[in-house]
Amino acid sequence: MNDPVDVLIIGAGASGAAVAWSLADTKMHILCLEQGGWMNPATYPSTGRDWEARAFGDFSPSPNIRARPEDYPINDDNSPIKVVNFNGVGGGTIMYTAHFPRLHPSDFRVRSLDDVGEDWPIDYDTLVPFFEENDRMMGVSGLAGDPGVPPRHPPMPPLPLGRSGAMLAKAMNRLGWHWWPSDTTVATVDYEGRARCINLGHCTPGCAQGAKASTDITYWPAAQRAGVELRTHCRVREITTDEHGMAAGVVYYDADGNEQFQAAHVVVLACNGVGTPRLLLNSASARFPNGLANSSGLVGKNLMFHPYAQVYGYVDEATDSNRAPPTCLWSKEFYETDPSRGFVRGYTFQFGRGVGPVVEAVASEAKGLLPWGAGHHAAFRRLNGHRLGLSAICEDLPEEHNRVTLDPTLKDSDGIPAPRIDYRIGDNTARMMEHGIAHAKEILAAAGATDICVNSPILYGGWHLLGTARMGADPARSVVNEWGRSHDVKNLFIVDGSLFVTSGGVNPTSTIQALALYIADQMKQRLANLFD
Amino acid sequence: MSLDDTLTPAQRDNLRAIAGVIIPASAQFDVPGADEPAIQADIVATLGRDAGLVRQALDEFARLAGSPLASLNPERRDAVALELRAKGGAAVATLTRIVLQCYYRDDRVVRSLGLEPRPPYPKGHVLEEGDWTLLDPVRARPKLWRPA
């Protein structure tokens, strides 16, 4: 029998780590259960000659392909975008590009401004101190002064422009369109024990140098020093409740597969926009027959992905290809609503630097650019190291038919029902993607690129898992209140991307972590009457 | 390597044949073909979880050929390979990807591309700083973001 804890956090990724660190100064007994283990950077792909090939196997972004023991399967057959994630200490921050924009102020008021979606119960200004705290903890590199976003002050200088960045910047200047060096969590100078970036160029599947921030090397060491307990290889099956309708604790499987019960006074969910609704739905009981915290019926609904429209081409000059972090520039030219475009809301352009030879060969062969036979070598030499590309990260609006449910037959290795995804791209978003493709082609043409290729949506592009347990003041239209507490279960909190009311058009990790810090701060301010 | 990863002698012959069609040797670029023994050994050694799909593609290749591949003249072999490529599907895509990923990590091939045959870590790469005056026209713009 495990001793009860004050706070039990489920999930050690982006948000779980942040909330654990913030709550640690309360000196409460805080325990985090994580289904994966600690990562060993010495085994990351960039340390071996098969560094590119492992993206098709044990370091695939898709849990269905990766199929590590820590992963759970996801039935995403009924979705044009497949879920990608990572399970382990650090969660999705192990396997992300480290592109680190924030939501914009307008993203919190889309109903008021554009008559779509819903307004958030909080605003941008509320999150500013937590954005700043998170930038310091994760270590953000970037450049102040961007007219495309509200003022912010990254603690480290930006990544170099490089050849690819300069080519794209010149193209954007020719068109008169906005661009700026991206905020990233790649350390450009030695920072808080992290070595600076040396351009391994293979950041996404874990940084062997430790220059890319992942929460296993940022928040977690600090949280553990402050007394937080982290128990790995523990997969939670369900949250149990007591006769008062409060969360009593969780049932989980330990590293040996033994069923355990962990009692807790407060339960915090940090399992991402798919894992959190999965767990809430799997916690159905006689007291909560439709799943826990689901009196609104919205648990699992309003799933938002950010469909990516990727466009790339080939220039005569050599690009940086795989010899630099993939993060490079962003553009906010088409972010805010302009009704003349035929859609509301907007998108960020995220520019890349290129890819390595194996990825280039596989992608080009699939696109028909790289022939079999005698012409292969000459064609490859024209393509390899010459790719220039960008993606439109398009705002997804909340639609209830886009949802996470429990699959009736598919289960994980512990017998827990797997999540099932039903998703389709909305009309507004589809028009936005077409706009993004057309304008990306203009940019590439201005850069002198030819052989233009389009991936829209990026098939394995379900990086951003949002909206499935959203926050709001109205219990009939939201799952948690404006500070992350379940409307139904007053000692149950959610701190991950499930909270998002709308998605914005940016990579969400910065905002997810700012929200987690904000909710932790609210909890600390209300400790005396947390359950009132 | 487990038994599940292995190929029959006939499948290995077919693998060699189709790999040589996908990427033939080139005297012009001084590179081996993907049918070269060391590259073939790498492919076979790293089939792993992809072995089933690769076997499926190789068997389909043999079925389309209708006779032992070694007995086909180069024109007929190339035609069958292109027919296989045109059929597409997960098995053919996996076979092609495995051939490409092993070929483009071979030391000789990597050097021929002007690259160093090494993993990215620990040496890394050098990234040019670039000309930050390119930002001047952007700095001069009024703010774009929408107050709320």
Side-chain angles (χ1 to χ4, degrees), chain A residues 45-53 56-58 65-67 104-106 109 113-114 143-151 158-163 166 169-170 173 176-181 198-202 208-209 320 322-325 332-333 336-337 345 353 357-358 361-362 365 368 370-374 376-378 380-381 384, chain B residues 18 20-26 28-34 46 49-50 78 80-86 92-93 95-98 100-148:
Chain A
S46 61
T47 62
R49 287 296 305 278
D50 55 354
W51 56 281
E52 289 188 280
F56 302 107
D58 68 334
I65 296 171
R66 194 171 59 228
H104 287 211
S106 70
R109 289 178 38 81
L113 294 172
D114 294 316
L143 184 65
D146 184 353
V149 300
L159 289 164
L161 273 180
R163 294 178 186 175
K170 288 174 186 171
N173 284 351
W177 290 347
H178 170 267
W179 65 275
W180 202 260
I198 54 172
N199 301 302
L200 302 181
H202 203 51
Q209 168 80 347
D320 295 314
N322 63 293
R323 296 183 294 277
K332 302 293 185 177
E333 186 68 31
E336 304 288 0
T337 293
R345 313 302 304 153
R353 297 184 194 267
V358 168
V362 173
E365 195 279 339
L370 183 60
W372 290 13
H376 179 94
H377 297 288
F380 189 67
R381 279 153 182 77
N384 186 52
Chain B
I18 195 159
V21 173
I22 297 172
I23 313 179
S26 168
Q28 180 189 356
F29 296 104
D30 191 25
V31 285
T46 56
R49 66 178 77 195
D50 297 313
D78 290 357
V80 173
L82 290 176
E83 188 180 352
L84 181 71
R85 186 188 195 192
V92 176
L95 169 64
T96 308
R97 190 249 301 161
I98 297 261
L100 292 167
Q101 79 185 32
C102 291
Y103 185 78
Y104 282 108
R105 69 183 180 206
D106 179 87
D107 284 4
R108 296 159 294 179
V109 175
V110 172
R111 283 197 187 93
S112 80
L113 297 170
L115 305 173
E116 296 177 81
R118 63 172 175 87
Y121 185 84
K123 190 175 173 185
H125 302 281
V126 175
L127 181 60
E128 293 174 9
E129 189 60 39
D131 176 8
W132 287 107
T133 65
L134 287 167
L135 260 183
D136 290 349
V138 188
R139 290 180 192 276
R141 290 184 65 162
K143 79 174 186 186
L144 283 76
W145 56 276
R146 188 181 185 189

Side-chain angles (χ1 to χ4, degrees), chain A residues 422-447:
Chain A
D422 291 280
Y423 174 89
R424 63 176 186 263
I425 295 171
D427 293 341
N428 187 71
T429 307
R431 290 193 294 274
M432 193 185 304
M433 294 169 78
E434 289 304 312
H435 186 275
I437 291 167
H439 289 74
K441 287 179 176 177
E442 282 191 59
I443 294 166
L444 291 173

Side-chain angles (χ1 to χ4, degrees), chain A residues 11-347:
Chain A
S15 61
V19 79
W21 170 79
S22 180
L23 289 176
D25 59 24
T26 63
K27 305 301 179 190
M28 292 190 289
H29 184 180
I30 300 168
L31 167 67
C32 178
L33 298 179
E34 164 56 48
Q35 66 189 317
W38 286 94
M39 299 305 294
N40 177 3
T43 65
Y44 282 157
S46 61
T47 62
R49 287 296 305 278
D50 55 354
W51 56 281
E52 289 188 280
R54 289 178 70 186
F56 302 107
D58 68 334
F59 268 80
S60 167
S62 165
N64 292 339
I65 296 171
R66 194 171 59 228
R68 299 164 74 234
E70 296 85 350
D71 293 316
Y72 55 89
I74 297 175
N75 179 354
D76 50 17
D77 292 345
N78 190 33
S79 172
I81 299 172
K82 308 304 179 189
V83 174
V84 299
N85 65 14
F86 197 80
N87 298 303
V89 179
T93 63
I94 299 292
M95 190 174 275
Y96 73 146
T97 60
H99 203 241
F100 221 62
R102 304 173 181 179
L103 285 187
H104 287 211
S106 70
D107 291 324
F108 295 85
R109 289 178 38 81
V110 302
R111 170 59 64 179
S112 298
L113 294 172
D114 294 316
D115 202 27
V116 291
E118 307 242 1
D119 286 350
W120 290 53
I122 59 173
D123 60 16
Y124 179 87
D125 288 341
T126 301
L127 289 183
V128 165
F130 305 101
F131 277 126
E132 290 175 352
E133 186 169 49
N134 191 54
D135 282 1
R136 182 178 60 79
M137 285 299 293
M138 291 292 279
V140 171
S141 64
L143 184 65
D146 184 353
V149 300
R152 78 274 182 270
H153 308 283
M156 285 182 275
L159 289 164
L161 273 180
R163 294 178 186 175
S164 302
M167 287 181 222
L168 291 161
K170 288 174 186 171
M172 295 299 276
N173 284 351
R174 281 184 205 114
L175 294 165
W177 290 347
H178 170 267
W179 65 275
W180 202 260
S182 294
D183 285 4
T184 81
T185 55
V186 175
T188 50
V189 296
D190 293 347
Y191 186 85
E192 300 287 334
R194 280 157 55 199
R196 68 178 175 81
C197 176
I198 54 172
N199 301 302
L200 302 181
H202 203 51
C203 310
T204 303
C207 177
Q209 168 80 347
K212 184 182 87 170
S214 46
T215 60
D216 58 329
I217 61 171
T218 57
Y219 277 107
W220 273 116
Q224 290 188 300
R225 281 197 299 274
V228 176
E229 180 187 356
L230 174 53
R231 216 176 280 166
T232 58
H233 298 291
C234 295
R235 177 176 279 155
V236 175
R237 185 183 75 198
E238 63 181 288
I239 301 164
T240 62
T241 55
D242 63 19
E243 66 274 20
H244 305 295
M246 301 282 275
V250 302
V251 177
Y252 72 95
Y253 297 100
D254 66 18
D256 298 319
N258 299 316
E259 184 176 315
Q260 302 263 6
F261 177 72
Q262 177 62 59
H265 299 301
V266 173
V267 174
V268 179
L269 277 162
C271 309
N272 79 42
V274 169
T276 285
R278 177 200 188 200
L279 188 48
L280 290 172
L281 294 172
N282 202 49
S283 301
S285 63
R287 202 172 285 115
F288 297 99
N290 297 320
L292 196 60
N294 197 23
S295 64
S296 66
L298 291 177
V299 168
K301 293 181 179 174
N302 298 305
L303 173 67
M304 297 172 284
F305 274 140
H306 289 143
Y308 270 58
Q310 182 189 47
V311 187
Y312 61 90
Y314 298 87
V315 293
D316 292 338
E317 300 169 68
T319 65
D320 295 314
S321 64
N322 63 293
R323 296 183 294 277
T327 49
C328 184
L329 315 177
W330 67 34
S331 172
K332 302 293 185 177
E333 186 68 31
F334 306 106
Y335 195 88
E336 304 288 0
T337 293
D338 177 346
S340 71
R341 294 178 191 143
F343 56 87
V344 294
R345 313 302 304 153
Y347 58 88

Side-chain angles (χ1 to χ4, degrees), chain A residues 380-461:
Chain A
F380 189 67
R381 279 153 182 77
R382 187 177 63 78
L383 300 168
N384 186 52
H386 293 270
R387 182 193 286 217
L388 213 50
L390 65 160
S391 293
I393 309 173
C394 296
E395 175 160 351
D396 228 349
L397 292 171
E399 298 179 281
E400 290 191 14
H401 57 80
N402 291 333
R403 65 193 188 276
V404 178
T405 54
L406 297 179
D407 192 273
T409 55
L410 187 65
K411 298 185 188 318
D412 69 20
S413 57
D414 288 307
I416 304 170
R420 173 193 159 100
I421 309 297
D422 291 280
Y423 174 89
R424 63 176 186 263
I425 295 171
D427 293 341
N428 187 71
T429 307
R431 290 193 294 274
M432 193 185 304
M433 294 169 78
E434 289 304 312
H435 186 275
I437 291 167
H439 289 74
K441 287 179 176 177
E442 282 191 59
I443 294 166
L444 291 173
T450 57
D451 291 314
I452 304 300
C453 298
V454 176
N455 294 316
S456 181
I458 295 179
L459 180 63
Y460 287 98

